[in-house]
Amino acid sequence: MELTRTRYLEQIRPFYESDLIKVLTGVRRSGKSVLLNSIKSELQQQGVPGSRIVSINLEDLDFSYIQTANDLDKEIKSRIQGRGKYYIFLDEIQHVENFEKALASLRAKLNASIFVTGSNSRLLSGELATLLTGRTVEFEIFPFSFIEMKEYFELNGRDFSENLIYDYIKWGGFPVRFDFYEEESTRRYLENLYTGIVGNDLLKTGGNVQKKQLLDISLYILANAGRDFSAESIAETYKAEHASKGKKTITSKTVCNYLDRLERAFLIHKVKRFDIFGKRALKSKEKFYAVDTGLRIIQTNSVIFEDTFFLENIVYNELRQRGFTVYIGKTYKGEVDFIAVRNGKKCFIQVAYLLANESTIQREFGAFSPIRDASPKYVISLDKINMGRNGIAHINLVDFLLQKQDLLLT
């Protein structure tokens, strides 16, 4: 059975009747189409007749004749009968040439609530932004969170235990991967999914791109998400590994191009550093986190659970799904993993695997020592014993992900 993703529905419901165009973005196979179906079901439960719902999946061959904005405009208007309100759902809108013109026209001429999905972050840039300034609202859809994994298991009569956190860390939350019970099948699915994303969303965006080189670089970036690296260091690493094999080297400019493509396909997220003392976002030295930890191990045989970057990645994605804006905190002595901001309030977060010894405890809790800001401070780890101290709270990662413990903001 398909999971009803209440976290996103709660965010979108206030806009059901709005004439703002609801744009659902996110990486392929994260569940955008299923979410559209949930919205349609809710509308019908509220009394909207099926005849008032227009639904088109632009990846469906049945609609392959819709190639341009004019084609889309003609198709939708052919389904409109009378003056009542219609609800229009357009899945993977980026396949239509100049789709933004059709959306602007439909919004202006029809009494309609429009919902669209897309797998490319440029959906809300360029001409669409110009034509529809202030008339769109965006929701990014991630793969399943850990609590959604729990809900999915329970919905389908499968046993769930908190120890599945290790399975989640390793294989991530893409919904379809839960259909597979063998690790090799899961790995094959993720490999094929990634190859499909590369073919559809990275290689078809123009420019001279070498597929093998793009795959090598992008998989390296995903595997090292959360670590400090630069375009220059990636280019040097690639050169060192491939020059001896007679392969073409790569420039930092090309690496930047690949990073941009990965961002546009929602495979990675750029996280800015924030100068806590200067109270400003820094323009350089961003970090990148993967949209799903399952993509980080496509080329490896196992995951090292002690690698805190995997846990950071999961906490970052969880914060984003909860509606936080997230920064990396820069202090004069070092960094705090995250500053989480929502509704003008914030907290500071450190992430660790286990607080196994005193030096680790001192390092994680001591990261907050330069900060004079009175906002709440948290250390999140897999330890089950509460080790909070000196006004700094300690939260178990599983409890945080399952919403047994929440963050306070000031």
Side-chain angles (χ1 to χ4, degrees):
M1 296 177 63
E2 291 180 343
L3 178 68
T4 299
R5 305 184 74 179
T6 54
R7 176 180 285 176
Y8 294 110
L9 290 174
E10 288 171 356
Q11 296 173 18
I12 302 169
R13 280 177 190 138
F15 299 92
Y16 279 7
E17 300 300 325
S18 171
D19 67 350
L20 293 173
I21 296 175
K22 280 67 68 176
V23 184
L24 279 60
T25 57
V27 66
R28 284 180 181 271
R29 304 299 174 257
S30 59
K32 299 186 296 296
S33 299
V34 173
L35 189 56
L36 279 189
N37 289 334
S38 294
I39 295 170
K40 285 183 277 188
S41 294
E42 285 201 346
L43 289 170
Q44 289 181 300
Q45 290 168 9
Q46 294 169 9
V48 176
S51 60
R52 291 282 171 179
I53 295 175
V54 176
S55 184
I56 299 174
N57 182 348
L58 292 155
E59 288 192 321
D60 189 330
L61 285 176
D62 288 344
F63 299 106
S64 60
Y65 57 88
I66 301 177
Q67 297 289 324
T68 67
N70 286 334
D71 295 336
L72 182 60
D73 184 75
K74 183 178 179 180
E75 175 67 24
I76 291 175
K77 288 180 178 177
S78 72
R79 302 189 185 198
I80 302 297
Q81 305 292 330
R83 297 184 178 181
K85 187 163 190 174
Y86 279 76
Y87 299 82
I88 299 171
F89 295 83
L90 304 172
D91 207 358
E92 299 297 352
I93 188 70
Q94 74 275 359
H95 292 297
V96 177
E97 183 181 353
N98 295 322
F99 67 84
E100 59 276 0
K101 294 181 179 179
L103 292 179
S105 175
L106 292 168
R107 183 186 177 278
K109 294 180 180 179
L110 299 180
N111 178 16
S113 179
I114 302 173
F115 301 78
V116 302
T117 76
S119 302
N120 191 299
S121 66
R122 293 293 168 88
L123 200 65
L124 283 176
S125 63
E127 193 170 357
L128 177 57
T130 301
L131 290 170
L132 296 169
T133 301
R135 293 174 174 83
T136 61
V137 57
E138 182 180 7
F139 307 90
E140 183 177 351
I141 312 304
F142 284 73
F144 283 174
S145 63
F146 189 55
I147 196 169
E148 287 178 321
M149 176 183 177
K150 175 179 181 289
E151 292 167 353
Y152 181 80
F153 273 46
E154 293 173 346
L155 181 66
N156 289 279
R158 295 170 61 177
D159 292 335
F160 179 87
S161 77
E162 294 185 357
N163 285 333
L164 284 171
I165 185 62
Y166 296 100
D167 176 87
Y168 183 76
I169 292 169
K170 184 173 183 178
W171 298 112
F174 277 104
V176 173
R177 81 94 171 164
F178 296 107
D179 293 343
F180 306 105
Y181 294 83
E182 301 295 331
E183 288 200 347
E184 187 54 36
S185 299
T186 302
R187 181 186 298 279
R188 184 173 290 111
Y189 167 72
L190 291 173
E191 289 174 347
N192 290 335
L193 171 62
Y194 182 73
T195 302
I197 293 171
V198 169
N200 284 289
D201 297 325
L202 274 68
L203 292 175
K204 292 184 179 179
T205 52
N208 183 20
V209 179
Q210 296 184 44
K211 183 176 181 179
K212 181 61 169 65
Q213 190 180 73
L214 174 58
L215 282 168
D216 288 344
I217 296 297
S218 58
L219 287 173
Y220 174 85
I221 291 167
L222 286 168
N224 290 278
R227 300 179 188 274
D228 280 312
F229 57 71
S230 64
E232 291 77 12
S233 66
I234 294 173
E236 286 301 315
T237 298
Y238 186 86
K239 179 180 178 180
E241 291 180 354
H242 293 82
S244 61
K245 302 175 184 177
K247 295 185 178 181
K248 186 177 180 180
T249 58
I250 192 171
T251 66
S252 58
K253 182 178 180 180
T254 300
V255 173
C256 287
N257 175 36
Y258 292 167
L259 284 166
D260 181 60
R261 288 169 185 261
L262 287 164
E263 278 193 89
R264 279 187 271 163
F266 295 98
L267 285 167
I268 60 173
H269 291 94
K270 181 190 297 182
V271 189
K272 293 183 178 295
R273 280 178 166 85
F274 190 90
D275 184 344
I276 295 173
F277 299 98
K279 296 183 178 181
R280 60 189 177 93
L282 303 175
K283 294 182 179 180
S284 61
K285 295 186 176 180
E286 303 96 344
K287 279 189 178 182
F288 296 89
Y289 287 99
V291 70
D292 186 83
T293 52
L295 296 178
R296 298 188 56 162
I297 63 168
I298 288 175
Q299 287 192 326
T300 64
N301 294 319
S302 62
V303 56
I304 300 173
F305 291 106
E306 293 82 357
D307 184 346
T308 302
F309 294 114
F310 277 85
L311 303 189
E312 283 183 23
N313 209 142
I314 287 172
V315 171
Y316 171 78
N317 289 343
E318 179 71 19
L319 290 169
R320 287 289 310 279
Q321 291 184 69
R322 295 190 189 187
F324 286 94
T325 300
V326 185
Y327 300 95
I328 294 158
K330 178 73 172 64
T331 70
Y332 67 85
K333 291 181 67 176
E335 288 185 348
V336 174
D337 289 332
F338 299 121
I339 306 174
V341 182
R342 188 172 63 191
N343 298 326
K345 299 179 179 180
K346 67 179 180 300
C347 68
F348 301 95
I349 299 170
Q350 276 290 104
V351 181
Y353 175 64
L354 290 173
L355 302 172
N357 51 55
E358 191 60 31
S359 64
T360 302
I361 294 171
Q362 291 296 331
R363 182 182 71 244
E364 300 300 337
F365 284 85
F368 300 112
S369 60
I371 302 174
R372 298 292 174 257
D373 191 308
S375 296
K377 301 170 183 66
Y378 297 94
V379 173
I380 298 177
S381 76
L382 283 166
D383 297 277
K384 294 184 178 181
I385 299 174
N386 187 343
M387 305 177 79
R389 60 191 61 198
N390 302 325
I392 300 169
H394 173 238
I395 295 180
N396 173 263
L397 175 65
V398 174
D399 287 347
F400 172 64
L401 296 177
L402 295 181
Q403 300 181 9
K404 295 179 180 180
Q405 289 185 274
D406 205 353
L407 303 175
L408 297 177
L409 307 176
T410 61

